[in-house]
Amino acid sequence: MMHCRDARELMLDVLTTAAPPDARRVLLAHLDDCAACRAEAAQFERTVVLLRTLPDPAPPPGFWPEFMTVLERRVADDGSLWWRAVRWLRMPRVSWTAAVAGAVIAVIIALTFSGPVPESTPVLSPVTGLVTESVRQTVPSVQGTLTLWNNGLTGVEVPYDFRPGGR
Amino acid sequence: MDAEDQALVEAFKGGEESAFTALVIKYREAVYRIARRMLRSHEEASDVAQEVFIRVHRALPRFEARSSLKTWLYRITVNLSLDRSARGSRYVLSGLRELGWEPVSDQDPAATAVGKELGRMIRAAVDALPPRQRAMMQLRLYQDLPYAEIARVMGCAEGTVKATMFAAMAKLRKSLAPYVGRHAETGTRGRTDPRQADR
């Protein structure tokens, strides 16, 4: 059973054919029983009919060709050269062509300006690490060890008659 | 989105400027009618229609097919018309005074409920609505857009559209009451009871 308030909310939908058929049936069943809503619905419908009697506004004769001419001119003038260039570049076929051309140019530039790669000479950097200058001065053996690391075993002069353990 | 619209949008994105012209030809009358019903003069409606298509031309390369082109176009049209309407609100008021329209019941309906005069009265009653109500009302009554689409055009909830439409119709019913009875008697169009349509 529909209430008058719900019926009034539904009236506009039904009158402007926005309501589904089942909602329309429910409203009509209510209108059969309710004289007040029936009168209101009739008034609503007359208003909708009256509003729809208004003809579609039509422009004066010869308007559209002039409209199109003006629009085409404005579209052509619209935006800067930069904007038009951006738009042109956004076109898929242009953007793909530009991407491929850019890649080819990048490769050519890379090959042209890159000479043979020079062989790098490794530079031995002195081992310092966490051993500070003060530690090296305080503990002479640390200094000796570091010298050994830096120069490698070939830099150590071992006496000919050297015997491990001094025996 | 409508298949034809989608094809035209894709063609435009592919560089075919004629696709844009085709879109303009397809939608120019609807755009003009919406603007014309929301604004007071042909010149203003024409300006708005031009501006709509200029904006569409700028934004179309970035347009995504997730939404309807028609809804998007109508949204631009309604927004521009609302802006124009807000700027020219003084003109609208003076226009109504020039029409001499007052929604009083002692006005003789017999003298006005015919032809152009009746049209002017209806137009004046519609013009007296707040702009958003006017926009929603005309999208529903004259463009036959469903509530959901009106909601998308207006950028609000469907329930808001229904409530606003109801308020607008209540005002129009009150404003046009002196002419409604006469119009029904002359029987220019249709039914007087919604039940008749179902029988």
Side-chain angles (χ1 to χ4, degrees):
Chain A
M1 185 67 183
M2 181 178 259
H3 292 285
C4 292
R5 193 177 150 218
D6 299 330
R8 281 174 192 147
E9 282 181 7
L10 200 56
M11 271 176 209
L12 188 61
D13 295 11
V14 171
L15 292 172
T16 59
T17 61
D22 54 335
R24 184 182 178 86
R25 272 193 293 278
V26 172
L27 176 68
L28 295 178
H30 176 81
L31 294 184
D32 275 336
D33 297 335
C34 180
C37 284
R38 199 160 55 238
E40 186 150 353
Q43 184 81 356
F44 246 131
E45 182 170 48
R46 286 192 206 111
T47 307
V48 169
V49 168
L50 189 64
L51 287 166
R52 282 186 163 159
T53 57
L54 274 185
D56 280 338
F63 168 71
W64 289 121
E66 190 191 332
F67 178 88
M68 295 304 286
T69 307
V70 173
L71 182 64
E72 278 166 22
R73 195 180 63 235
R74 286 185 66 186
V75 163
D77 294 345
D78 184 49
S80 60
L81 191 63
W82 165 251
W83 166 245
R84 269 182 274 171
V86 167
R87 198 181 153 255
W88 182 72
L89 278 171
R90 274 187 188 152
M91 291 177 191
R93 64 166 179 242
V94 176
S95 56
W96 277 109
T97 310
V100 170
V104 169
I105 290 169
V107 169
I108 290 170
I109 289 172
L111 292 175
T112 306
F113 291 101
S114 62
V117 179
E119 286 182 22
S120 59
T121 310
V123 178
L124 295 175
S125 53
V127 177
T128 50
L130 296 171
V131 182
T132 62
E133 192 61 29
S134 59
V135 171
R136 271 187 272 178
Q137 286 170 0
T138 314
V139 188
S141 63
V142 171
Q143 179 63 45
T145 308
L146 287 175
T147 308
L148 181 65
W149 285 351
N150 280 331
N151 298 333
L153 288 175
T154 54
V156 179
E157 283 186 18
V158 181
Y160 180 73
D161 57 348
F162 174 75
R163 286 183 182 172
R167 282 179 290 183
Chain B
M1 185 165 62
D2 179 45
E4 187 189 23
D5 289 352
Q6 193 162 1
L8 288 172
V9 170
E10 291 306 317
F12 178 75
K13 284 182 179 177
E16 283 183 40
E17 197 68 23
S18 60
F20 175 71
T21 308
L23 278 175
V24 175
I25 291 171
K26 184 176 178 184
Y27 285 109
R28 65 188 181 185
E29 289 187 27
V31 165
Y32 172 82
R33 277 202 295 269
I34 292 172
R36 183 69 185 88
R37 282 207 171 95
M38 290 181 66
L39 298 165
R40 288 294 305 154
S41 70
H42 159 72
E43 285 73 23
E44 282 182 305
S46 172
D47 284 353
V48 165
Q50 285 274 341
E51 191 59 34
V52 167
F53 288 114
I54 295 274
R55 292 192 184 199
V56 167
H57 188 268
R58 277 183 208 149
L60 207 50
R62 296 187 304 278
F63 181 75
E64 291 175 16
R66 283 178 300 190
S67 58
S68 153
L69 181 78
K70 186 174 81 171
T71 307
W72 181 53
L73 262 169
Y74 286 5
R75 181 193 274 249
I76 298 173
T77 310
V78 167
N79 286 341
L80 285 174
S81 300
L82 286 173
D83 286 351
R84 184 68 72 106
S85 179
R87 285 207 304 268
S89 57
R90 285 173 61 193
Y91 172 76
V92 172
L93 288 174
S94 65
L96 283 175
R97 285 200 199 97
E98 282 163 19
L99 283 171
W101 182 77
E102 290 293 332
V104 289
S105 56
D106 60 351
Q107 201 170 4
D108 181 15
T112 54
V114 283
K116 285 186 177 177
E117 191 63 19
L118 178 61
R120 284 174 61 190
M121 294 302 127
I122 299 168
R123 234 170 264 131
V126 173
D127 285 348
L129 294 174
R132 282 182 72 81
Q133 280 187 10
R134 194 159 72 228
M136 288 183 195
M137 208 257 332
Q138 71 119 334
L139 288 173
R140 178 73 210 107
L141 285 188
Y142 301 111
Q143 298 301 128
D144 276 328
L145 291 195
Y147 286 133
E149 201 165 344
I150 297 174
R152 282 195 290 273
V153 169
M154 302 300 295
C156 62
E158 201 175 322
T160 309
V161 176
K162 284 186 180 180
T164 310
M165 276 287 293
F166 193 81
M169 282 306 296
K171 281 183 198 169
L172 287 171
R173 203 183 62 161
K174 199 174 167 187
S175 306
L176 295 171
Y179 316 109
V180 164
R182 175 64 56 171
H183 177 72
E185 282 167 25
T186 55
T188 46
R189 218 165 144 180
R191 320 175 305 266
T192 55
D193 190 326
R195 289 173 301 172
Q196 290 175 13
D198 220 36
R199 289 175 180 167

